[in-house]
Each structure stands twice: as structure tokens, then as C-alpha cells.
Amino acid sequence: MLETAPQVPKSHDGPITTRPALPSDAVEIARIGATSFTAAFGHSIPAADMAAYLESDFSIAATSATLHSPLMTTIVAVAPDGAITGYAQLREGTTEPCINQRDLPTVELQRLYMSTEWMGKRIGPMLMQRADEIAREMGKKTMWLGVWEENYRAQKVYEKLGYRKVGDHEFVSGECVQTDWILLKYL
């Protein structure tokens, strides 16, 4: 049985760094993902649908499978004490009808989550910069993502990072259907 990782401290001495995620990071990545997703969307998704989504996408088993997938690249931001403060996941092989990837190879930024204790500390932009570098190393020319139409804070961050709206799609969680904006960035 995996033990729960310690809570992330509220302060640190020294710089935050990034590194590839390790299989041993699954517990902390799952915790950050579930906590962040719940904080952002918990008020808008019925409890039963939320519980099912968290189990299917943010359980330790689901997170471990993601970390082992050859289509996924996960990077973590790490505090000087070794605590994971956030993570980003790139996923190859996905697209949307509004994205023309015939001439421009693309990759999806599937997740960008920070531990709530580290929100507002510029970890997101740091992870995004590293994700951009990795995508370029993969030979990608564009990166896309879906962001909930009511997640104004994230939309502003993505706009500052060079993303532009190119379409939308439905995000279905159980009986709850929401609209995600599809944002695209040229690398």
C-alpha cells in the first residue's frame, strides 16, 4: 500500500525546479490533481459525477497508468525540500476539429495543476515554459488545451502565455455537460 505523501509546506528556501515525473510521484500528483480539480470545478459538478471523475482520472491507479503511458509526458515542479508543488502533462495523439494539424504537428497540454499552497507563486508559467521546451524537442509546432469557459483566471494566464481561442467542445462528466474553450499556441 502506498503511503500518503507529506503536505507541501507553505514556504521554502531556494528555487523551485522542474524534472520528469517518476512513478514514485503518483501519490502526490494524484493528490494535487484531485484537489485542484475539485477546487476549480467542485461547485459546478454534481457530487456523484465529481466522485466518479476523480476516481477515473485522479486516483493513484489512474495517475500511475498515465505516468507509464508512452503518449504522456509529465513534468513536476519541486520545492527545495523535495515536495512536488505542481505538474504539467503533455499528451500526444489528440486533436480537435478546430485544429488543423496537417502542416503543424501538435501536442495537447492535458493538465497543468498546482498545489493550492503554491498558487500564485509563478509555478504555472515555469511549468509551461518547460512544457514548451519539451514540445519543441518532440518536433511539435503548436500546443493546444481545453479550458472551462468559466475558468477566467486560467484563461488570463493562458492568454499571457500566448494561447488564443480557436474553438470549443463539450466536457462531459456524468450528467454534467460544460463547455471548454479550445486554445492554441504556436511554438
Side-chain angles (χ1 to χ4, degrees):
M1 184 171 150
L2 293 172
E3 292 183 31
T4 303
Q7 294 295 310
V8 177
K10 295 188 179 188
S11 64
H12 67 277
D13 294 319
I16 303 289
T17 58
T18 63
R19 64 166 169 78
L22 304 170
S24 59
D25 297 330
V27 171
E28 190 60 10
I29 290 171
R31 182 192 72 79
I32 291 170
T35 302
S36 297
F37 190 86
T38 302
F41 305 105
H43 67 284
S44 68
I45 298 175
D49 292 344
M50 177 63 79
Y53 187 78
L54 293 177
E55 181 61 30
S56 71
D57 281 47
F58 295 109
S59 66
I60 295 169
T63 301
S64 292
T66 298
L67 292 175
H68 287 92
S69 170
L71 298 175
M72 301 292 287
T73 300
T74 305
I75 55 173
V76 293
V78 182
D81 66 358
I84 296 173
T85 62
Y87 72 99
Q89 289 182 325
L90 298 176
R91 182 175 181 181
E92 293 187 83
T94 59
T95 191
E96 285 289 324
C98 58
I99 299 171
N100 178 2
Q101 68 176 41
R102 180 178 48 166
D103 299 320
L104 298 172
T106 192
V107 66
E108 178 186 4
L109 176 67
Q110 189 170 49
R111 295 205 168 100
L112 176 66
Y113 290 125
M114 268 56 61
S115 180
T116 54
E117 298 89 358
W118 290 86
M119 295 289 280
K121 306 258 191 254
R122 309 257 332 130
I123 292 167
M126 180 185 66
L127 282 166
M128 286 297 303
Q129 179 180 356
R130 183 64 188 123
D132 288 353
E133 293 167 359
I134 291 169
R136 286 186 199 99
E137 291 167 6
M138 298 165 94
K140 305 305 181 185
K141 302 293 183 196
T142 60
M143 189 181 307
W144 73 276
L145 59 88
V147 62
W148 184 33
E149 68 181 342
E150 294 182 29
N151 191 344
Y152 307 114
R153 180 179 178 175
Q155 290 169 17
K156 287 179 185 179
V157 169
Y158 293 133
E159 184 178 328
K160 288 179 185 177
L161 294 170
Y163 285 87
R164 299 293 174 256
K165 182 180 177 190
V166 295
D168 58 49
H169 71 188
E170 290 182 343
F171 177 84
V172 180
S173 177
E175 295 184 24
C176 183
V177 179
Q178 297 179 343
T179 301
D180 276 0
W181 289 1
I182 304 302
L183 306 182
L184 181 73
K185 172 181 176 172
Y186 289 90
L187 300 169

